[in-house]
Amino acid sequence: METKVTRDPHSYARPQEAVIRHLDLDLAVDFDKHILKGYAEYTLQTAPDAKEVIFDVRDLVISKITLDEDTTPAVFSTGIPDDVLGAALTVKLKPGTRKVRIYYETSSDAAALQWMDAKQTAGGKHPFLYTQSQAILCRTWIPVQDSPGIRFTYNATVRVPKGLMALMSASNPQQLSADGVYTFEQKRPIPAYLMALSAGNLAFHRYDDKTGVYAEPETMKAASYEFVDTYKMLVAAEKLYGPYDWGRYDLLVLPPSFPFGGMENPCLTFATPTIIAGDRSLTSLVAHELAHSWSGNLVTNRTWNDFWLNEGFTVYLERRIMEELYGRSYADMLAVLGYGDLSQTLADMKADGNMKDSRLKLDLEDRDPDDGVSDIAYEKGYLLLRTIEDAVGRDKFDPFVKKWFAEKAFKGADTEEFLEFLYANLFAEGSEEDKKVEPKRWIYEEDLPAGVKAPVSERFEKVKQAADLAAGGGKIPAEQTAAWTSHEWVYFLRSLPAKNSPALMASLDAQYKFTQSGNNEVLFVWLMMAVENNYADAYPELEKFLLHVGRRKFVKPLYEAMMKNPATTEMAKEVYAKARGGYHAVTWQTLDKIVK
Ligand code: BES
Ligand code: ZN
């Protein structure tokens, strides 16, 4: 058992008394009723005097619980449910109980589960299911001790209709099974937020012994083209941070309703199809999710208050991997775009009087952990690590990060342990470097430290000049933009003034066809500008986008901007009424608060 015990404000479990060590899961997927049904059997590790074990459950129907080989029902009770946390499921133990088997089914509106009709998929012929467990939604599809500080191995049997494939965050099939039954094994202990399942009409494309991609057959050609560099990314990450410890690394391309860009489910990253741009320009997302195989999946934030340890490290690793593959100037562009996001987030937090959440160490007690998901964890976290790197040099910083992963692997880590590790391994508290970096200032105080070194990109300097020229009505020589990646185009649009004349919007669109862009990052920035500048020519495309894509990072700001502009408020409401049914709960729960 881990030595350090921190109370997790988002779980009812009392792991010091009885903690789960292994899960045997057996589930049938019912596409007609939109439920999962079966059992979860846990192998426990208990304190000598343990009288009960507590699980987290939300919207689950528990039919029976048994202990060890005894088939007579055990005594259990479910507490009063909280909207966010769900309820505590308390099971009475007998002396020496080792196993607890919980028979249950999910409710048809389980928040983790997205059930899709055939017509919502690319192929249009088969239904589709996927889960999203992070941060605390695993408890809506499995009764579990749903805390990132608690890890368990698992075996699973999943039954789906014949002809469909099931995949999990584990060793996965590469072919259809004859009877629709699939078995899975995850040998390494993982926290509940990394439990994942998907089922649908899926094909597999193998790149090599280590990597591959799953997608609907209709999407496979584009998907397999886009992610060919996955193995190179894995090699780059291993070179920097030590062996990839999870067996295979495959990608699963989901339907466009997937609420995130990607999710680092072990062995099988879940990804949005909106990164398939046709030119491999948005694959830093793959580097990001792959990087979580070290930062997050090996070394995990102990509670959601330490979320920056997962995401800040991952953004740092992501950019180092991209630098290995495509050079420093490419990684610099990503860093500058990230810094732009961070500045925007800080400005919004200031405007909302919510600077508390601009600290790296969060306080999410009595709040939904989803409230802690912001660019602070990602980009302020990244910037702290980069600031440390700058202060000590890569010669020292790279081995330090590698050692962090090696020493904390399969354990939880919190922010205080990070500081301790930093002072023990890189520079002493009170040293010159410490005074220069001021890590505690970054972690416990609001905003950014004064004098922070912002990332710069040479390639973007030129883009900025081009944007200034265009804003003044000038023409950019075509040979200058010919070699631009989508990152340059994004930066170009962001560098234009916030308010532009109708004539300028129209002429930019005529020249560069932004409304028709096949690159979702470019299209998103352009649609934001369109709403903010009343550029109605783009609204049909905007509506199409909102009806098609459920990725929260895109749709949330778009609806916010539309609600803020009186000219588009009605449209926002109308489109949302049509689109809401196709969004995952993670997305509509956020949007319900915005579109009223
Ligand atoms: N683990 C996150 C997604 C997440 C965070 C889900 C918090 C639920 C709660 C994933 O690794 C991630 O960061 N995704 C980003 C990718 C991007 C930063 C490259 C996303 O979805 O946009
Ligand atoms: Zn991440």
Side-chain angles (χ1 to χ4, degrees):
M1 219 182 261
E2 274 141 42
T3 41
K4 183 155 179 175
V5 185
T6 317
R7 198 185 65 86
D8 179 352
H10 298 113
S11 171
Y12 295 102
R14 290 205 304 265
Q16 309 92 294
E17 219 173 303
V19 67
I20 57 177
R21 283 299 176 218
H22 179 77
L23 163 64
D24 283 295
L25 186 66
D26 190 310
L27 288 176
V29 179
D30 186 333
F31 277 104
D32 296 324
K33 292 196 200 138
H34 287 186
I35 60 167
L36 304 175
K37 186 172 179 175
Y39 68 78
E41 179 175 273
Y42 287 102
T43 308
L44 304 179
Q45 179 177 325
T46 52
D49 55 348
K51 304 241 167 4
E52 53 194 34
V53 56
I54 301 177
F55 299 93
D56 297 296
V57 291
R58 190 177 139 195
D59 300 330
L60 297 179
V61 183
I62 314 281
S63 51
K64 182 172 129 174
I65 298 180
T66 59
L67 306 180
D68 293 325
E69 306 309 315
D70 187 354
T71 54
T72 57
V75 179
F76 69 91
S77 63
T78 315
I80 298 162
D82 174 270
D83 281 351
V84 175
L85 300 179
L89 167 68
T90 306
V91 184
K92 291 270 173 261
L93 299 176
K94 297 199 167 135
T97 300
R98 268 181 46 77
K99 290 191 179 185
V100 176
R101 181 182 287 202
I102 305 167
Y103 293 87
Y104 73 100
E105 61 184 62
T106 59
S107 81
S108 58
D109 53 6
L113 305 179
Q114 176 80 347
W115 298 93
M116 311 192 64
D117 301 337
K119 62 177 191 316
Q120 293 170 285
T121 65
K125 290 199 192 69
H126 303 275
F128 201 99
L129 164 72
Y130 64 83
T131 63
Q132 169 56 41
S133 296
Q134 196 182 9
I136 56 167
L137 299 180
C138 184
R139 63 191 70 178
T140 72
W141 69 286
I142 308 174
V144 69
Q145 294 186 327
D146 198 357
S147 170
I150 299 174
R151 288 173 172 265
F152 53 93
T153 52
Y154 77 88
N155 287 83
T157 301
V158 176
R159 299 148 207 281
V160 298
K162 256 186 248 170
L164 299 190
M165 193 186 274
L167 301 171
M168 292 192 80
S169 49
S171 59
N172 275 304
Q174 297 184 346
Q175 280 159 16
L176 281 181
S177 81
D179 54 2
V181 180
Y182 295 88
T183 56
F184 303 90
E185 182 180 27
Q186 179 50 268
K187 286 189 205 155
R188 298 148 193 89
I190 62 166
Y193 80 91
L194 296 175
M195 289 301 298
L197 169 67
S198 182
N201 182 29
L202 289 164
F204 178 65
H205 176 92
R206 180 185 172 284
Y207 289 127
D208 47 64
D209 284 351
K210 267 281 197 310
T211 65
V213 53
Y214 295 88
E216 283 189 73
E218 295 74 13
T219 314
M220 186 51 100
K221 195 164 167 250
S224 58
Y225 175 83
E226 205 75 13
F227 307 121
V228 275
D229 280 349
T230 305
Y231 182 68
K232 282 191 203 152
M233 292 180 178
L234 193 140
V235 171
E238 285 191 316
K239 184 179 125 199
L240 288 164
Y241 303 114
Y244 175 78
D245 205 23
W246 300 88
R248 290 191 60 85
Y249 178 78
D250 293 315
L251 297 162
L252 166 61
V253 178
L254 290 167
S257 70
F258 187 57
F260 296 104
M263 177 65 214
E264 66 272 26
N265 297 314
C267 308
L268 183 68
T269 283
F270 283 20
T272 171
T274 62
I275 54 167
I276 301 178
D279 60 1
R280 302 172 180 163
S281 57
L282 303 179
T283 55
S284 62
L285 183 130
V286 176
H288 179 98
E289 305 311 334
L290 170 68
H292 272 302
S293 307
W294 289 263
S295 46
N297 300 4
L298 277 188
V299 183
T300 313
N301 46 214
R302 196 184 299 284
T303 73
W304 298 112
N305 290 331
D306 307 297
F307 183 53
W308 82 273
L309 286 178
N310 271 19
E311 296 300 344
F313 267 86
T314 299
V315 172
Y316 179 83
L317 266 59
E318 166 201 329
R319 293 189 182 144
R320 290 297 302 272
I321 294 168
M322 294 308 276
E323 181 181 330
E324 289 287 320
L325 266 71
Y326 310 112
R328 179 77 196 216
S329 78
Y330 192 95
D332 284 345
M333 293 197 292
L334 300 178
V336 171
L337 290 175
Y339 188 75
D341 293 333
L342 177 62
S343 308
Q344 187 59 52
T345 297
L346 285 167
D348 293 345
M349 284 180 165
K350 260 181 214 144
D352 298 346
N354 175 32
M355 286 305 277
K356 273 207 163 64
D357 288 339
S358 70
R359 300 169 186 170
L360 285 176
K361 177 85 183 189
L362 296 167
D363 180 7
L364 295 168
E365 178 103 42
D366 297 325
R367 295 171 69 191
D368 189 331
D370 213 41
D371 293 354
V373 181
S374 80
D375 287 315
I376 298 301
Y378 289 82
E379 296 295 343
K380 187 178 173 183
Y382 163 76
L383 217 52
L384 166 58
L385 296 174
R386 192 175 144 133
T387 304
I388 300 172
E389 177 206 308
D390 278 350
V392 301
R394 282 186 178 177
D395 288 356
K396 284 192 190 155
F397 190 64
D398 289 353
F400 164 81
V401 176
K402 192 170 173 180
K403 187 173 174 196
W404 168 251
F405 295 141
E407 251 178 52
K408 307 284 177 180
F410 299 109
K411 293 182 203 144
D414 62 22
T415 303
E416 290 64 37
E417 258 175 277
F418 168 75
L419 277 172
E420 214 175 284
F421 191 84
L422 175 74
Y423 289 139
N425 289 284
L426 212 50
F427 48 74
E429 199 169 358
S431 64
E432 278 313 305
E433 288 102 324
D434 187 32
K435 283 181 200 143
K436 200 163 140 200
V437 176
E438 294 193 287
K440 288 188 183 165
R441 161 85 188 72
W442 282 83
I443 286 168
Y444 297 111
E445 289 180 39
E446 296 172 357
D447 214 333
L448 292 177
V452 57
K453 214 169 116 202
V456 285
S457 151
E458 260 176 54
R459 284 162 76 169
F460 279 177
E461 295 302 315
K462 299 197 189 81
V463 176
K464 174 83 179 71
Q465 288 161 14
D468 291 345
L469 182 68
K475 210 159 160 44
I476 314 161
E479 61 273 20
Q480 195 186 338
T481 56
W484 280 6
T485 66
S486 63
H487 307 300
E488 275 123 336
W489 284 111
V490 166
Y491 194 74
F492 173 79
L493 291 174
R494 286 196 195 175
S495 302
L496 292 170
K499 293 283 176 225
N500 298 293
S501 69
L504 182 65
M505 291 296 289
S507 106
L508 287 172
D509 205 10
Q511 279 181 77
Y512 301 116
K513 307 277 175 291
F514 290 123
T515 305
Q516 259 58 59
S517 175
N519 187 293
N520 286 294
E521 294 285 345
V522 175
L523 182 61
F524 164 69
V525 189
W526 176 250
L527 292 176
M528 286 294 287
M529 280 180 65
V531 175
E532 283 156 359
N533 289 282
N534 295 308
Y535 180 61
D537 285 6
Y539 293 172
E541 214 42 57
L542 170 63
E543 171 164 3
K544 241 169 77 189
F545 186 84
L546 293 171
L547 288 172
H548 181 67
V549 175
R551 187 174 171 189
R552 190 166 67 172
K553 168 183 135 168
F554 292 148
V555 298
K556 182 181 178 226
L558 284 169
Y559 280 111
E560 275 171 348
M562 290 168 80
M563 290 302 288
K564 212 169 127 195
N565 180 350
T568 46
T569 307
E570 272 318 302
M571 180 185 165
K573 290 182 189 168
E574 276 167 33
V575 176
Y576 187 53
K578 281 191 263 177
R580 188 178 182 275
Y583 293 146
H584 185 278
V586 161
T587 296
W588 65 252
Q589 278 169 7
T590 301
L591 295 179
D592 277 1
K593 292 177 213 149
I594 294 163
V595 191
K596 284 192 214 102

